[in-house]
């Protein structure tokens, strides 16, 4: 199934075709219970071809490890699969151009919870403006590609680097996501199995 949800070639966004070295697809099990969605690849992700492998990725990896998990247990992806120039935010048009790929990935993986890492993915998935620090840790029902999905708002891992005060908010949101998956699985969660 992973071949079906990987994007091998795309030329929808001229600026991103110029700025990317490669398309960065999601990683992790194609039946993961938890799916983390970030904004777009940065420099490290662009060079390694994997989401969240820079300093933000270290924060995410540490947080997973603190909960007995690793990136092999969860799906990690982005709203946009190509690095924007100068690490700017993706434009609305770029987010729209890439949306079908994210929707196909969520359809394929069908996670119990989608964790939106930061404002861009939270707003993209919920379709409204989101005050991330205020809403972090809250779970929302969203209709995504005709499917009902549970989206948990979380601060971006990078926020914990700029503002250590956000560490607790980040940790509490992750606890919420893991607890929800554990509850939904009735103690049968696939988290930590691998
Ligand atoms: N930030 C993101 O939003 N996505 C990545 O893959 C890396 C950093």
């Amino acid at each position: 199934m992973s071949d079906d949800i990987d994007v091998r070639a795309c030329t929808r966004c001229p600026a991103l075709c110029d700025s990317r070295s490669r398309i960065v697809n999601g990683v992790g099990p194609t039946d993961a219970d938890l799916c983390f969605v970030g904004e777009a690849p940065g420099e490290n992700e662009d060079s390694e071809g994997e989401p969240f492998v820079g300093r933000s990725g270290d924060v995410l990896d540490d947080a997973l490890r603190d909960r007995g998990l690793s990136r092999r247990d969860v799906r990690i992806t982005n709203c946009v699969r190509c690095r924007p120039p100068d690490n700017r935010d993706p434009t609305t048009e770029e987010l729209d151009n890439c949306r079908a790929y994210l929707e196909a990935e969520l359809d394929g993986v069908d996670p119990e919870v989608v964790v939106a890492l930061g404002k861009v993915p939270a707003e993209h998935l919920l379709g409204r403006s989101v005050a991330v620090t205020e809403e972090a840790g809250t779970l929302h029902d969203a209709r995504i590609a005709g499917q009902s999905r549970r989206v948990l708002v979380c601060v971006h891992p990078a926020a914990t680097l700029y503002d250590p005060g956000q560490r607790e908010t980040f940790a509490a949101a992750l606890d919420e996501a893991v607890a929800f998956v554990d509850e939904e699985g009735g103690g049968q969660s696939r988290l930590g199995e691998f």
Side-chain angles (χ1 to χ4, degrees):
M1 162 165 17
S2 131
D3 280 353
D4 297 341
I5 56 180
D6 278 0
V7 181
R8 305 283 176 200
C10 180
T11 54
R12 291 182 192 176
C13 305
L16 302 194
C17 288
D18 284 348
S19 59
R20 76 180 180 209
S21 317
R22 70 198 80 236
I23 295 171
V24 180
N25 285 296
V27 293
T30 49
D31 62 349
D33 289 334
L34 257 184
C35 179
F36 291 89
V37 180
E39 185 178 312
E43 187 179 5
N44 295 293
E45 291 74 23
D46 178 68
S47 92
E48 292 188 35
E50 180 165 338
F52 285 96
V53 290
R55 289 180 71 208
S56 300
D58 292 341
V59 173
L60 184 56
D61 286 342
D62 288 349
L64 290 172
R65 199 187 47 239
D66 289 348
R67 289 160 183 80
L69 301 171
S70 83
R71 62 170 55 217
R72 283 178 299 140
D73 301 317
V74 300
R75 187 87 191 164
I76 305 176
T77 192
N78 279 305
C79 295
V80 165
R81 288 169 197 250
C82 301
R83 182 193 181 195
D86 304 318
N87 291 340
R88 65 156 167 74
D89 284 353
T91 64
T92 307
E93 193 183 351
E94 289 161 354
L95 286 162
D96 289 346
N97 286 344
C98 219
R99 186 168 178 105
Y101 301 137
L102 178 61
E103 289 180 348
E105 187 170 14
L106 293 177
D107 271 351
V109 175
D110 194 23
E112 297 284 354
V113 180
V114 179
V115 181
L117 294 173
K119 190 174 179 67
V120 169
E123 295 191 339
H124 190 51
L125 291 168
L126 295 178
R128 62 171 172 83
S129 60
V130 176
V132 175
T133 28
E134 280 158 37
E135 295 194 41
T138 57
L139 205 50
H140 304 268
D141 286 321
R143 211 72 203 154
I144 301 174
Q147 295 293 318
S148 181
R149 300 260 165 236
R150 293 201 179 83
V151 176
L152 187 119
V153 176
C154 185
V155 293
H156 195 280
T160 68
L161 298 169
Y162 307 130
D163 175 5
Q166 297 286 331
R167 284 184 200 154
E168 225 170 280
T169 314
F170 180 70
L174 284 201
D175 285 341
E176 201 60 50
V178 171
F180 182 82
V181 169
D182 284 344
E183 267 169 39
E184 284 299 291
Q188 306 270 308
S189 142
R190 296 189 298 262
L191 286 179
E193 201 175 85
F194 301 94

